[in-house]
Amino acid sequence: MKRDTKTVVEADPRVPVIRMTRDFAATPERLLRAHTDPELFVRWVGPDGMASRVEHWDARTGGSWRYVSVRDGAEYWFHGCFHEIRSDRIVQTFTYEGEPDGVALETLWFEDLGGGRTRLRAQSLVDSFESRDAWLRGGMEAGVEEGYAKLEGMLGDGAV
């Protein structure tokens, strides 16, 4: 478990799951919007130094998405399907197109803590411990932390 950042990242020892938790000074509605509005999403997703753009985005239960993140001319494409979008959670698939067989099932929960604060809990289930550990070794934690820091800044300045 990593505790030196604001995002707690845990690798479950029993199943190939990554769990993340972070509290935000925002309502669940604002966090949901930041995850489902493509113009907002591309402003915060991913590590510093990467720019993202959406190719396709249909944020509704049964919808799908595809975006690319670019750094130093290299493109990293991602796609998935929104299985379910509710006010308190999102269930979706997530695939990095560089590893097309590695489909993750992701669930994000928006837990209202009261007082304009929300706990975001996320879980990514992958197909093997090897895939999960490769995600962690590949810089996923840093990318998540930097992305959530950008999101926190957007929430603080009223962009969301």
Side-chain angles (χ1 to χ4, degrees), residues 56-66 79-82:
H56 168 75
W57 196 270
D58 183 10
R60 63 178 174 84
T61 296
S64 61
W65 55 268
R66 185 172 189 239
H79 72 268
C81 296
F82 291 109

Side-chain angles (χ1 to χ4, degrees), residues 61-120:
T61 296
S64 61
W65 55 268
R66 185 172 189 239
Y67 71 91
V68 62
S69 294
V70 181
R71 180 180 8 217
D72 300 328
E75 293 187 346
Y76 305 91
W77 286 89
F78 305 90
H79 72 268
C81 296
F82 291 109
H83 177 75
E84 180 180 52
I85 296 178
R86 298 188 333 207
S87 62
D88 64 338
R89 79 175 193 175
I90 297 172
V91 179
Q92 65 183 4
T93 58
F94 178 93
T95 301
Y96 165 54
E97 293 182 9
E99 298 284 336
D101 293 335
V103 179
L105 177 61
E106 297 189 334
T107 305
L108 290 81
W109 293 271
F110 306 99
E111 179 185 346
D112 190 344
L113 300 175
R117 296 197 54 81
T118 299
R119 177 163 296 142
L120 173 61

